[in-house]
Amino acid sequence: MELRARIPSGPLERKWEKHRFDMKLVNPANKRRYSVIVVGSGLAGGAAAASLSELGYRVKAFCFQDSPRRAHSIAAQGGINAAKNYQNDGDSVYRLFYDTIKGGDFRAREANVYRLAELSVRIIDQCVAQGVPFAREYGGLLANRSFGGAQVSRTFYARGQTGQQLLLGCYQALEKEIAKGGVTMYPRTEMLDVILVNGRARGIVTRNMVTGAIEAHLADAVILGTGGYGNVFYLSTNAKGSNATAIWRAYRRGAAFANPCYTQIHPTCIPVAGDYQSKLTLMSESLRNDGRVWVPKKGGDRRAPNEIPESDRDYYLERKYPSFGNLSPRDIASRAAKEVCDEGRGVGPGGRGVYLDFAGAIKRLGADRIAERYGNLFEMYERITDENPYEVPMRIYPAVHYTMGGLWVDYNLMSTIPGLHVIGEANFSDHGANRLGASALMQGLADGYFVIPLTIGDYLASARPEAIDASNADVRGTIESVAERTRRLTSIGGKRSATSFHRELGKLVWEYCGMARSAQGLEKALQLIPALREEFWSDLLVPGTGEELNQELERAGRVADFLELAELMCIDALQREESCGAHFRIEHQTPDGEALRHDDQFAYVAAWEFAGDGKAPVLHKEPLVFENVALATRSYR
């Protein structure tokens, strides 16, 4: 396997413009001759499908939900970054680029990150033109707020519903193309494998989730926009249906998987309430603009929060990181919360929580103003906890949220399988070891609206794929392998549900590859996970058959993939003998408990190649070269 990043030459600020000119084009009449498959209908996939159809390509789009509107992008709350500098507070494309590189702990490609910052300003214009109702100032100008890891206000938002509003804009663009006939939509259809013909991605095998029919869909190129793999932890802020099957099956077909150990823990989530909880709820990072994070100074202080005087409170983020305070980056804020809870100063049931207090902001601005900014978030919190955050502080605790790892892609967003492109959270490309808040929506829309419509044309014009049909031996072989796997899952006849295995796996991954990792813990996980996987394949119970609606079968296939992915995550975390961003190895920290990188050994992307069942994956390294920023110890003090 060869990792060819295809990063353009020339000055950083000219790379994307130069590359756009250098890429081959497909003329408008010829675009109609090419077909493209897009898997996933979130912001990345939906934007890509709509944009490619508008250009003239024939598009097949797939989602496992009953409607593209149910993609997990709809759950994003706080906002989307763009270097517009509307506040005249010193923002710029370069500053957004630098904040993203620094926030990712210098483990991302400069060229990709600069392109993302450069395109951010166009994304906002695109979404405003679609009618996205961003918040506005009194005079009608678009409003901005701050987010973690930045000292400027660059985050555009629609109350706490930014993802929903952006997805509605994207959905309308997609529906327009469906109505025109440019996009054929396949809802309730799950991708189960990639079809390779002569080493190139030429289609996918799917299962109709209503009828159980296993079918092949062919095209000239395939795009995966299927999101992240945070649900490997079982408890996460992701939708319950979010899974890693599409990218994992692509990995098994030869797509390199990059940086799987980089999973982000979000600092502001509603704490776990009980052993049988099935998911966690995100509280937007935007709340940290006006909410102050604190715990009692003394362990075991069980007084009600409003009874604890200021002198007995520890506003620990403001104390430890005075320059950024409550807007410290997610990885740092998460570890700080774990630290005070480990000291016995956590609040709420089990002591696994910290306070997010709005009393000062309400006194300063008034409850009505706070309700304008965060009203739907406050309402959601009260519905879940039966506590009124206008009257008592919220209780929050870190939880799994986003995955910076994903399939390796080059500058054109193509994986190591020619013709297989990967966009949004499903790839690894832009966030390094820790994603800045409000950058996920930015990356998904940049990839879908502005990058992939150009780069896929370069691939098609260069490859000129030949015509194939369902009689091709590779197509028939892939269909049979999917059918055989389905038969195997339904014929085990054990006693345990897929969910019980998933819950047990999640606890293992959280314990040994969660907020803090150690060599000893990871080695233990690498003993326990294969044993659990072996038990899964001998004691799984999937009632019913594959020839019908069967949600247990769907869960079983996804859990089977998570059981393999979890092992790769631990292998990756074990070999990376440093701490950086969300990857915190307790053996590698500074005297004051911060992440300690080892740039001389680990300034690279770890890209893993599948070597076969029962064989150790092969590590390939893409060196990270920093020509425009100086590698420095990340400080937010």
Side-chain angles (χ1 to χ4, degrees):
M1 179 180 288
E2 182 182 4
L3 301 179
R4 294 182 60 244
R6 300 183 66 185
I7 297 171
S9 60
L12 183 66
E13 65 276 7
R14 296 275 299 168
K15 286 183 185 293
W16 177 233
E17 183 178 347
K18 177 180 183 297
H19 192 61
R20 286 197 301 162
F21 179 77
D22 290 341
M23 283 189 293
K24 293 183 178 180
L25 301 176
V26 180
N27 79 51
N30 285 344
K31 287 186 175 73
R32 293 190 294 271
R33 301 178 183 177
Y34 291 112
S35 60
V36 180
I37 284 173
V38 179
V39 186
S41 65
L43 287 178
S51 300
L52 291 168
S53 177
E54 286 179 350
L55 287 172
Y57 295 105
R58 294 178 286 115
V59 179
K60 289 183 176 182
F62 297 81
C63 68
F64 63 74
Q65 300 92 346
D66 58 354
S67 165
R69 289 202 310 175
R70 294 192 183 275
H72 184 59
S73 299
I74 206 167
Q77 297 171 349
I80 176 172
N81 288 330
K84 288 284 197 180
N85 194 32
Y86 283 170
Q87 307 300 315
N88 195 29
D89 56 1
D91 201 13
S92 64
V93 168
Y94 190 87
R95 187 177 294 277
L96 176 53
F97 155 74
Y98 181 78
D99 286 347
T100 306
I101 287 282
K102 177 184 175 184
D105 220 348
F106 303 92
R107 290 295 178 263
R109 285 189 199 133
E110 282 189 339
N112 284 70
V113 176
Y114 192 89
R115 177 174 66 184
L116 181 64
E118 184 181 1
L119 290 173
S120 68
V121 297
R122 297 181 61 192
I123 294 169
I124 300 303
D125 296 339
Q126 166 90 2
C127 295
V128 169
Q130 290 177 333
V132 173
F134 288 118
R136 294 180 181 266
E137 304 287 1
Y138 179 77
L141 299 177
L142 296 181
N144 291 126
R145 57 188 178 197
S146 301
F147 248 68
Q151 291 180 303
V152 296
S153 294
R154 63 162 70 99
T155 304
F156 295 77
Y157 63 98
R159 295 187 72 185
Q161 307 169 353
T162 313
Q164 179 179 6
Q165 299 303 327
L166 290 171
L167 189 62
L168 287 172
C170 177
Y171 173 70
Q172 291 174 118
L174 178 60
E175 285 297 312
K176 173 173 70 73
E177 295 305 309
I178 292 172
K180 284 172 55 178
V183 176
T184 303
M185 191 74 216
Y186 294 86
R188 304 298 294 162
T189 306
E190 184 168 29
M191 171 189 156
L192 296 181
D193 214 337
V194 182
I195 296 172
L196 304 187
V197 178
N198 296 327
R200 296 182 178 274
R202 295 303 308 272
I204 61 174
V205 175
T206 64
R207 179 177 179 271
N208 185 307
M209 297 164 67
V210 177
T211 68
I214 295 174
E215 300 171 322
H217 296 271
L218 304 178
D220 298 307
V222 177
I223 300 171
L224 302 183
T226 51
Y229 50 91
N231 274 349
V232 68
F233 290 86
Y234 187 72
L235 286 178
S236 82
T237 65
N238 288 266
K240 285 295 293 178
S242 298
N243 64 85
T245 288
I247 58 173
W248 190 251
R249 304 292 171 85
Y251 163 74
R252 290 178 61 91
R253 290 286 177 183
F257 205 117
N259 299 334
C261 75
Y262 289 163
T263 57
Q264 183 174 78
I265 314 296
H266 197 293
T268 52
C269 300
I270 298 178
V272 177
D275 290 339
Y276 293 97
Q277 192 164 340
S278 61
K279 81 174 298 293
L280 297 174
T281 302
L282 173 71
M283 288 284 101
S284 169
E285 185 176 304
S286 64
L287 294 168
R288 292 197 281 152
N289 276 293
D290 291 304
R292 299 178 70 192
V293 179
W294 64 275
V295 292
K297 287 184 176 179
K298 294 182 179 179
D301 191 337
R302 296 292 177 255
R303 286 178 290 178
N306 292 340
E307 296 176 1
I308 301 176
E310 288 288 317
S311 59
D312 291 342
R313 299 181 179 188
D314 179 14
Y315 294 92
Y316 58 88
L317 288 177
E318 298 172 29
R319 170 175 56 82
K320 294 181 68 174
Y321 309 104
S323 294
F324 284 74
N326 296 299
L327 288 174
S328 300
R330 291 177 175 179
D331 59 322
I332 288 174
S334 293
R335 285 197 295 274
K338 181 179 185 297
E339 181 181 297
V340 296
C341 291
D342 289 346
E343 293 170 357
R345 296 193 286 143
V347 302
R352 288 289 158 185
V354 300
Y355 289 127
L356 183 60
D357 197 338
F358 290 85
I362 291 173
K363 183 177 180 180
R364 184 178 73 254
L365 301 171
D368 290 345
R369 187 69 183 275
I370 295 299
E372 287 178 8
R373 294 179 180 179
Y374 314 113
N376 64 306
L377 297 172
F378 277 40
E379 179 185 352
M380 182 171 66
Y381 180 87
E382 185 171 6
R383 285 185 177 184
I384 292 171
T385 65
D386 199 30
E387 297 174 2
N388 185 344
Y390 292 101
E391 299 174 358
V392 296
M394 288 183 178
R395 287 179 297 106
I396 59 171
Y397 193 71
V400 173
H401 180 56
Y402 188 90
T403 52
M404 285 74 66
L407 293 186
W408 184 92
V409 291
D410 64 13
Y411 191 71
N412 283 355
L413 305 183
M414 189 164 71
S415 72
T416 51
I417 298 176
L420 180 67
H421 297 73
V422 192
I423 57 179
E425 191 179 357
N427 73 31
F428 88 100
S429 63
D430 293 349
H431 306 297
N434 174 63
R435 178 176 68 79
L436 287 184
S439 288
L441 304 180
M442 177 173 63
Q443 187 210 348
L445 292 179
D447 287 357
Y449 282 137
F450 299 111
V451 180
I452 200 66
L454 298 180
T455 60
I456 205 161
D458 180 69
Y459 167 74
L460 293 171
S462 302
R464 297 187 178 182
E466 73 283 358
I468 60 170
D469 58 34
S471 65
N472 182 281
D474 292 320
V475 176
R476 289 186 282 108
T478 310
I479 294 174
E480 180 52 37
S481 68
V482 170
E484 174 56 33
R485 183 181 178 88
T486 302
R487 286 192 292 268
R488 185 182 176 194
L489 287 167
T490 55
S491 64
I492 294 171
K495 297 178 180 178
R496 292 188 58 178
S497 69
T499 298
S500 72
F501 284 105
H502 193 181
R503 192 186 299 274
E504 185 174 346
L505 174 68
K507 289 178 180 178
L508 288 176
V509 184
W510 176 255
E511 176 69 21
Y512 300 115
C513 199
M515 266 195 284
R517 298 96 183 260
S518 69
Q520 182 179 6
L522 290 165
E523 287 169 353
K524 185 174 182 180
L526 289 171
Q527 294 175 348
L528 296 173
I529 292 171
L532 182 63
R533 187 168 64 244
E534 185 175 341
E535 183 181 353
F536 173 89
W537 285 107
S538 63
D539 198 25
L540 173 70
L541 173 62
V542 176
T545 70
E547 290 75 45
E548 59 186 343
L549 174 66
N550 191 337
Q551 291 184 313
E552 279 300 307
L553 174 60
E554 297 163 21
R555 293 189 188 100
R558 296 165 187 173
V559 174
D561 295 327
F562 280 141
L563 283 162
E564 296 179 5
L565 170 58
E567 185 173 4
L568 183 65
M569 290 170 61
C570 293
I571 291 171
D572 186 44
L574 184 61
Q575 71 84 30
R576 189 169 282 277
E577 289 276 358
E578 66 166 351
S579 291
C580 56
H583 171 62
F584 190 77
R585 286 283 297 271
I586 61 175
E587 308 98 321
H588 303 282
Q589 53 183 304
T590 62
D592 54 355
E594 301 296 344
L596 180 61
R597 297 195 323 265
H598 299 305
D599 296 330
D600 57 331
Q601 302 174 59
F602 294 99
Y604 61 76
V605 176
W608 296 91
E609 178 186 3
F610 180 67
D613 289 318
K615 298 179 180 179
V618 179
L619 174 61
H620 301 270
K621 300 176 182 179
E622 179 201 336
L624 291 170
V625 179
F626 295 92
E627 300 174 331
N628 299 275
V629 298
L631 286 168
T633 300
R634 196 167 55 137
S635 175
Y636 292 91
R637 296 180 184 277

